[in-house]
Amino acid sequence: MASMNQTPVAFPSRQTLKPTTINHHNHLPSALTSTTTLPQLKQIHCQILKTGLNHSNPLLLEFLISSFSLPNSLDYALSVFSQISELETHFCNQVLRALSRSTKPEKTFLVYEKMRKDGVVVDRFSFPSLLKASARISGSKQGMELHGFASKLGFDVDPYVQTGLIRVYAACGRILESRLLFDKMLQRDIVTWSIMIDGYYQSQLYDEALVMFEEMKNSNVEPDRLVLTTILSACSRTRNLKSGKAIHDYIMKKNVVMDAHLQSTLITMYANCGSMDMAQHLYDKLRPSNIIATTTMITGYSKIGRIEAARSIFDQISEKDLVSWSAMISGYAESDWPQESLKLFDDMQASGLKPDQVTMLSVISACSQLGALDKAEWVHILIKNLGFGNVLPINNALIDMYAKCGNLAEAKRVFDKMPKRNVISWTSMITGFGIHGNADSALRLFHQMKDEKIEPNAVTFMGILYACSHAGLVDMGRQIFASMINDYKIAPQQEHYGCMVDLFGRANLLREALELIESMPFPPNVIVWGALLSACKVHNDVELGELAAKRLLELDPEHDGAHVQLSNIYAKAGRWNDVGEVRKFMKNQGISKEKGGSRIELNGQVHEFLVRDKNHPQVNEIYAKLDEVVNKLKLVGYAPNSTGSVLVDLEEEEKKEVVLWHSEKLALCYGLLGVEKGSCIRIVKNLRVCEDCHTFIKLVSKVYEMEIVVRDRSRFHHYKDGVCSCKDYW
């Protein structure tokens, strides 16, 4: 327990007192009520001393309780308390009660210590306040000591003391001890049930909270709004729409009067469970709407991809706070609208609001998606200016951002400068090396991580297996996969099997890949079959490709990638009738191929291109530049290769035309218009770079003496002097 020793009271002298309206002791209680500052409090204390009322316990009690609620006056009041002699239990209990509710509940134990030291009787009315203070500070040690003392005095059977003990153990995360005490209680009121249900909720045992809620109803105890709010929050956390609806029905059946908080919790539950129609119905009835419910609606619509609906609600907020701005910025980032996310962030700053760490994490995520290095560097500078430079989650996100923006060296600099690293830091850096095809560095860092006793997790192994896959390190991949299972006891998930199938598939070990799939302890998902299908396309295995596509489409009949990959396999084999059948099926089912798109950042602006794009303001210059580039490349042996890159059976010249109009070629030619010789052009592509574009960009890097970095769906390609970092293995 803390010591009761306080700084002695510096009693005000008569000379320093300012004139006061307190002329008689009858005025002191009303003066205490109107006191708002410590100097005023000291004046009243001086008046108490002058009038000789410093031994009047009722007045002193009123003085102390008033003091506890004033800013900066708590220590002064406790110093006064420490000098009171002949304390009574009732007096002390009132002080304990006031302190347990104050802004510094830990001070309650100073009074308790003085009571024990001075021999003041601690009765059953003392314990609830002490236990409440213990719960508020999560004081496990204090709670256990009070539990022992209450048992010694025989108060542990008192229902108020039992309730206080349940609250302490629950607040300290010792939910089993809470439940043992709860089960021993002969009488349980709504408060006890509420504490127990909230304890399960705070311990993230949401299903147990739901079970207890049902037990409560079966015990004929009617839940109040606080319990209903907690249990709806549990449904929200677990996305348990069925139970959430049942509780909503219960609220309606019992005619529970819903306050704004309970209404907002219901809206949050439906939104988190993806039931936005019901959430919108309740939100429309909320009068007036509040910022919590509004932010929930923004997040809910964003999560199901209805970003326009989210923005509509956001625009209706008259006074936007940081949380609502952050929710909309995050919604854009998570919905793959990175440019809108960053634009909205600029608008937020213009409004005068200062971003917090949560906002910046969403902004970093948007930069990562966009792949815009200039913007990323600007965000990094802003983070330093905001004082977030040493924040662990921020630095972890920066590593990922720089890696995805193509600047692996800066990602490593952030990693090296971090004052503290966790497994996410190491994993982010290893994954960064992997997506850039730098398997040697990824493996070196992986071994260093283990040497520093940082245990890799399931995500770390995904990163290192990915690195092995894209570098063709089959034996090393096998060893690491086995180590994950045998040394670290991590059960492989679908993603790990997908990495291994990809590893074998890229190395043309297609039968071994199929054997691994057949040995999986659970049915393979679209990731696994997709990895095999991609490998079959690369290595022209029509029979196995058909099998992989069939299995994939059984799981996801509208998977456009599977149809396109199968069509490409048929096209490479010259089976145009089969290509036609696939196209006919896609058309009948309304399945369309995802359009290829590429982004390039130039002079701080991000420009987007689609295949055959004619929308750019400089479209004529871009296509003229494309003709110039093609003519120059033909001099060094380039010939457009449409095999496997064009889905339909066109004339050869038409195929070549379509291939030349791919989005990455258009983005590259736009870059060539605006950068100087020797500069670096960075492009982000939403699909895998095709074989012809890969060859085209390699030759451009040589002929134009230009470094070109392309991020496609699966990895980075660094082109320089006619060579790609992937070594044509991607």
Side-chain angles (χ1 to χ4, degrees), residues 475-634:
D475 291 339
M476 180 59 70
R478 285 196 186 102
Q479 291 175 26
I480 290 171
F481 188 71
S483 174
M484 177 181 76
I485 299 168
N486 301 325
D487 300 334
Y488 293 93
K489 312 303 178 187
I490 296 174
Q493 300 303 308
Q494 297 277 8
E495 293 79 6
H496 298 103
Y497 282 107
C499 283
M500 290 303 293
V501 170
D502 190 56
L503 173 72
F504 293 141
R506 289 175 186 276
N508 202 14
L509 299 171
L510 298 176
R511 299 301 151 182
E512 190 169 348
L514 182 60
E515 289 171 8
L516 179 65
I517 293 173
E518 291 171 343
S519 72
M520 288 172 61
F522 39 72
N525 65 2
V526 293
I527 295 173
V528 176
W529 286 117
L532 182 61
L533 179 58
S534 295
C536 291
K537 186 250 182 184
V538 171
H539 298 293
N540 304 321
D541 192 321
V542 178
E543 182 183 355
L544 191 55
E546 287 178 318
L547 172 66
K550 180 182 178 183
R551 295 287 181 263
L552 198 161
L553 291 170
E554 285 172 356
L555 297 171
D556 184 1
E558 296 186 357
H559 194 291
D560 65 308
H563 291 289
V564 172
Q565 290 275 39
L566 184 59
S567 295
N568 286 337
I569 290 172
Y570 288 144
K572 288 183 78 171
R575 291 170 52 173
W576 294 107
N577 288 336
D578 291 323
V579 172
E581 287 298 316
V582 173
R583 280 182 57 79
K584 182 179 177 182
F585 178 83
M586 290 176 69
K587 184 177 180 180
N588 291 339
Q589 297 297 315
I591 302 169
S592 58
K593 176 187 176 183
E594 182 180 357
K595 292 182 179 180
S598 297
R599 291 192 292 258
I600 181 171
E601 185 183 27
L602 206 61
N603 301 322
Q605 295 292 319
V606 177
H607 303 262
E608 296 193 35
F609 294 90
L610 299 175
V611 64
R612 308 187 197 187
D613 205 324
K614 297 290 180 73
N615 293 320
H616 197 277
Q618 293 176 255
V619 60
N620 293 331
E621 296 173 64
I622 292 168
Y623 278 91
K625 189 67 176 180
L626 177 61
D627 290 339
E628 173 203 306
V629 172
V630 171
N631 289 330
K632 281 192 176 184
L633 297 191
K634 284 180 177 179

Side-chain angles (χ1 to χ4, degrees), residues 134-200:
S134 299
R136 288 188 63 197
I137 65 172
S138 299
S140 179
K141 181 181 177 182
Q142 291 91 334
M144 291 176 70
E145 182 181 322
L146 289 167
H147 191 177
F149 190 37
S151 299
K152 182 179 177 181
L153 297 175
F155 297 147
D156 57 330
V157 294
D158 182 280
Y160 292 103
V161 175
Q162 289 176 322
T163 299
L165 287 168
I166 290 169
R167 179 185 278 117
V168 171
Y169 285 121
C172 296
R174 303 178 68 163
I175 197 67
L176 291 177
E177 284 94 330
S178 287
R179 185 59 190 260
L180 286 171
L181 287 167
F182 178 86
D183 289 341
K184 290 178 182 177
M185 290 186 74
L186 298 177
Q187 296 177 328
R188 307 181 187 114
D189 61 9
I190 181 63
V191 175
T192 313
W193 282 99
S194 179
I195 291 169
M196 200 66 231
I197 290 170
D198 186 65
Y200 277 124

Side-chain angles (χ1 to χ4, degrees), residues 188 193 214-221:
R188 307 181 187 114
W193 282 99
E214 293 301 321
E215 290 178 12
M216 176 185 178
K217 289 193 296 180
N218 293 335
S219 300
N220 296 319
V221 178

Side-chain angles (χ1 to χ4, degrees), residues 645-713:
S645 299
V646 180
L647 193 61
V648 293
D649 187 12
L650 303 173
E651 294 296 326
E652 194 60 34
E653 286 306 311
E654 291 180 279
K655 289 184 188 178
K656 290 178 181 178
E657 231 175 32
V658 171
V659 169
L660 288 175
W661 292 339
H662 278 187
S663 63
E664 55 266 58
K665 290 189 178 80
L666 299 178
L668 176 57
C669 289
Y670 178 67
L672 291 172
L673 287 172
V675 300
E676 297 178 358
K677 187 176 180 180
S679 300
C680 179
I681 292 176
R682 301 174 189 275
I683 296 169
V684 177
K685 164 90 173 180
N686 67 329
L687 303 176
R688 185 179 183 272
V689 172
C690 75
E691 294 173 29
D692 182 73
C693 286
H694 192 259
T695 302
F696 182 91
I697 299 171
K698 279 198 302 182
L699 291 173
V700 169
S701 73
K702 182 177 182 180
V703 172
Y704 285 82
E705 299 178 21
M706 187 80 62
E707 183 180 357
I708 304 164
V709 179
V710 177
R711 184 182 103 191
D712 72 4
R713 175 172 278 180

